[in-house]
């Protein structure tokens, strides 16, 4: 598996152990069975003390057994989707009673900061953001109930959508404004996107949000000198309040969403079981 994530366990005495997994996609589903089940996965993970940097860490989990704190972030999984995010958190909190469950927005840097370690260790100096291409209405990447994507609204009359397979467009800084000049318009965006930006050029104000984590999320104001930048974290509704051009189609965030997430969790458990069986067979054959 090439989708990598760190898992950190802080023991009751304050010491921590660092693990690495190749099952980063849908790592949020591993949390639905509670702390005992998650800790039971540790023997099959690689413990090598290697911190993934914030450009390749596609997920991360920290379990503080003494303080009962659970931190996590993901690039891909139901918690990064508009329809399922609330259901995922509801199910996780139910499986971790008495724990503080907190999402992270700046990836492994926040994991290290929690441990009192230098966050800069997981930065990649000089790494330039990869600009996301704009998507036209009807693009096949926007098909389906959960197309992802990033919506950008500007003022009161412009709406654009970008691919979410690249860096969040706020990381481009003011250079993004030039790219928007020729971007295809979408009228009103009713897609269930996972990230968004609202720009008010006249007042030089910017608001943005993201369900997946974004490297250096709290440094975005440095990229927009002279602008007032607000980070709404995962509050996509704030975007709908400041712009009528982003109006996601209604969706079931309750029982239906919870049922879909539980089905995905069952499928992930089955996949893990198949993988363990395969690994056992291969080791037996080699022996």
């Amino acid at each position: 598996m090439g989708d990598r994530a760190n898992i950190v366990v802080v023991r009751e005495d304050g010491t921590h152990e660092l693990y690495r997994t190749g099952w980063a996609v849908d790592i949020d589903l591993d949390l639905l069975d509670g702390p005992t089940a998650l800790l039971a996965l540790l023997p099959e993970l690689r413990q090598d003390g290697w911190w993934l940097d914030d450009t390749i860490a596609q997920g991360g989990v920290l379990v503080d057994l003494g303080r009962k704190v659970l931190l996590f972030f993901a690039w891909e999984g139901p918690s990064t989707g508009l329809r399922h995010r609330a259901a995922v958190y509801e199910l996780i909190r139910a499986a971790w009673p008495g724990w503080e469950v907190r999402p992270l927005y700046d990836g492994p840097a926040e994991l290290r900061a929690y441990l009192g370690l230098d966050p800069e260790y997981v930065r990649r100096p000089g790494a330039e953001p990869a600009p996301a291409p704009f998507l036209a209405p009807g693009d096949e990447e926007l098909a389906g109930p959960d197309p992802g994507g990033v919506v950008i609204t500007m003022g009161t009359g412009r709406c654009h959508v970008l691919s979410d397979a690249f860096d969040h467009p706020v990381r481009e800084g003011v250079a993004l404004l030039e790219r928007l000049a020729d971007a295809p318009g979408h009228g009103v965006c009713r897609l269930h996107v996972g990230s968004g930006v609202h720009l008010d050029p006249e007042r030089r104000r910017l608001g943005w949000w993201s369900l997946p984590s974004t490297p250096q999320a709290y440094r975005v104001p440095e990229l927009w000198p002279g602008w007032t930048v607000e980070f709404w974290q995962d509050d996509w509704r704030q975007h709908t309040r400041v712009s009528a051009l982003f109006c996601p189609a209604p969706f079931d965030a309750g029982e239906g969403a919870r049922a879909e997430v539980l089905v995905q969790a069952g499928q992930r458990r089955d996949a893990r079981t198949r993988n363990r069986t395969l690994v056992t067979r291969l080791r037996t054959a080699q022996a």
Side-chain angles (χ1 to χ4, degrees):
M1 295 286 182
D3 306 307
R4 292 167 286 183
N6 280 135
I7 296 181
V8 186
V9 177
V10 183
R11 298 295 178 179
E12 288 83 348
D13 63 1
T15 61
H16 72 270
E17 302 158 6
L18 180 63
Y19 298 85
R20 180 160 50 92
T21 177
W23 290 70
V25 174
D26 292 337
I27 195 171
D28 40 12
L29 294 174
D30 292 335
L31 307 177
L32 267 60
D33 292 327
T36 301
L38 181 67
L39 294 175
L41 297 176
L42 297 183
E44 67 185 59
L45 304 182
R46 179 176 297 179
Q47 185 180 6
D48 58 7
W50 178 38
W51 282 93
L52 300 165
D53 69 41
D54 62 5
T55 63
I56 62 174
Q58 299 183 38
V61 176
L62 184 147
V63 180
D64 188 331
L65 299 173
R67 298 179 180 177
K68 289 194 171 183
V69 174
L70 171 64
L71 312 177
F72 77 96
F73 70 92
W75 283 5
E76 241 183 291
S79 67
T80 67
L82 205 64
R83 292 194 306 125
H84 295 127
R85 187 173 179 89
V88 169
Y89 277 94
E90 181 181 339
L91 291 167
I92 291 175
R93 291 190 171 99
W96 297 69
W99 286 65
E100 177 187 354
V101 178
R102 191 193 316 164
L104 302 180
Y105 297 93
D106 191 13
E110 284 191 272
L111 292 179
R112 287 182 58 87
Y114 179 87
L115 296 170
L117 303 176
D118 182 11
E120 298 306 308
Y121 181 84
V122 291
R123 304 293 190 199
R124 182 172 291 182
E128 294 292 330
F134 288 97
L135 303 176
D139 190 290
E140 62 179 12
E141 191 171 329
L142 300 178
D146 301 299
V150 185
V151 60
I152 296 182
T153 55
M154 180 182 291
T156 59
R158 293 178 59 185
C159 177
H160 311 282
V161 178
L162 299 84
S163 170
D164 64 353
F166 298 80
D167 286 316
H168 197 297
V170 290
R171 296 193 59 212
E172 297 180 47
V174 293
L176 175 63
L177 299 175
E178 296 181 13
R179 289 216 301 136
L180 287 169
D182 300 320
H186 279 253
V188 176
C189 177
R190 295 181 59 79
L191 300 169
H192 298 151
V193 296
S195 305
V197 185
H198 178 67
L199 296 163
D200 185 342
E202 290 188 4
R203 296 193 298 166
R204 298 174 70 83
R205 298 182 67 92
L206 178 156
W208 72 284
W209 59 278
S210 182
L211 305 186
S213 67
T214 300
Q216 306 191 45
Y218 297 103
R219 292 183 174 178
V220 168
E222 300 172 15
L223 305 173
W224 293 82
W227 286 63
T228 299
V229 177
E230 296 180 36
F231 182 25
W232 299 325
Q233 297 187 339
D234 63 352
D235 187 5
W236 57 272
R237 291 181 178 83
Q238 182 68 15
H239 195 162
T240 67
R241 287 191 283 269
V242 300
S243 175
L245 300 178
F246 176 47
C247 184
F251 57 89
D252 176 9
E255 184 175 347
R258 289 191 294 272
E260 292 179 12
V261 171
L262 290 173
V263 168
Q264 294 178 49
Q267 293 171 342
R268 183 168 174 85
R269 283 192 293 271
D270 292 343
R272 279 193 176 278
T273 299
R274 291 193 298 270
N275 184 69
R276 291 191 194 100
T277 301
L278 178 59
V279 170
T280 301
R281 288 175 179 173
L282 290 173
R283 287 175 177 171
T284 300
Q286 291 172 353

